[in-house]
Each structure stands twice: as C-alpha cells, then as structure tokens.
Amino acid sequence: MKMIIAILNSDDASTVIHNLMKEGYQITKLSTTGGFLRAGNVTVLIGVEDDKLEHCLEIIGKYSKSRKQLIPSSAEAGISFYPSMPVEVVVGGATIFVLDVEQFKKV
C-alpha cells in the first residue's frame, strides 16, 4: 500500500478531487499555504493499493496543470521604495510524494 501526499494549487484542487472521487478514491483534504507565493494550496492524502498507484497519479497529473502568472514584486534600496514590477512565475501543477505504508487500520 502507498500513501500519496499531493499538494495542489487551489484553482486545480476541486477538479482533481472530483475526478479522484469519481474513480472511487477516498481522500483527506487539508487546506495549506505555500511558502513562496503564500498562496492557498490544498494538500490531499490518498491511500492506494500498489496496483492503483499509477492510475491515481495519472488523474492528478491530468487535472493539475501548471501555468504562468504575473505577480507584483517590490524592490527596496536603502530607505527608498521603488514601484513594484510584475514578475512572471509558474503556478499550478502538483507536488506529489509517494510513501510506503507499513500498516493501515480503519477503526
């Protein structure tokens, strides 16, 4: 058995979760915040049997696409502040960890 920990962009999360549940996967959803952009994320925990791992990862990959977005940045030099210039960053997609599960119990 495997435990998938998938960190999803908030914009993608509902579609990913809907499609995982449609395929019969049971998930636990956690609201989280990213460190770099301090943007809202959703972390999902999914326990899957080894033979279903690739299928589950395909669903996550299909519905969590990365895209470019402009965000404001601010520069500071000494005591003066300069107007913020937008910076293009990649958002979305998924960060996925797959862990071996030694034991699983549902009580």
Side-chain angles (χ1 to χ4, degrees):
M1 178 170 243
K2 304 290 185 191
M3 169 64 71
I4 298 173
I5 302 171
I7 304 165
L8 310 169
N9 183 279
S10 292
D11 295 338
D12 300 329
S14 61
T15 304
V16 173
I17 291 168
H18 170 78
N19 284 285
L20 286 169
M21 292 177 68
K22 187 170 83 172
E23 292 291 326
Y25 294 101
Q26 296 180 358
I27 65 142
T28 298
K29 174 183 156 184
L30 307 169
S31 295
T32 54
T33 302
F36 175 62
L37 296 176
R38 290 180 175 70
N41 292 325
V42 173
T43 300
V44 292
L45 308 175
I46 312 158
V48 297
E49 296 297 330
D50 290 355
D51 60 332
K52 303 237 181 197
L53 175 64
E54 289 305 317
H55 180 250
C56 187
L57 294 175
E58 286 172 11
I59 293 170
I60 295 169
K62 181 177 180 179
Y63 295 103
S64 56
K65 298 296 182 193
S66 60
R67 55 204 164 271
K68 293 181 180 178
Q69 179 178 335
L70 289 176
I71 63 161
S73 70
S74 58
E76 178 185 342
I79 59 170
S80 301
F81 288 95
Y82 295 96
S84 63
M85 298 294 293
V87 175
E88 188 174 71
V89 295
V90 176
V91 298
T95 301
I96 302 170
F97 300 91
V98 179
L99 310 171
D100 288 321
V101 175
E102 205 169 295
Q103 187 177 36
F104 169 75
K105 288 184 181 183
K106 193 168 185 176
V107 293

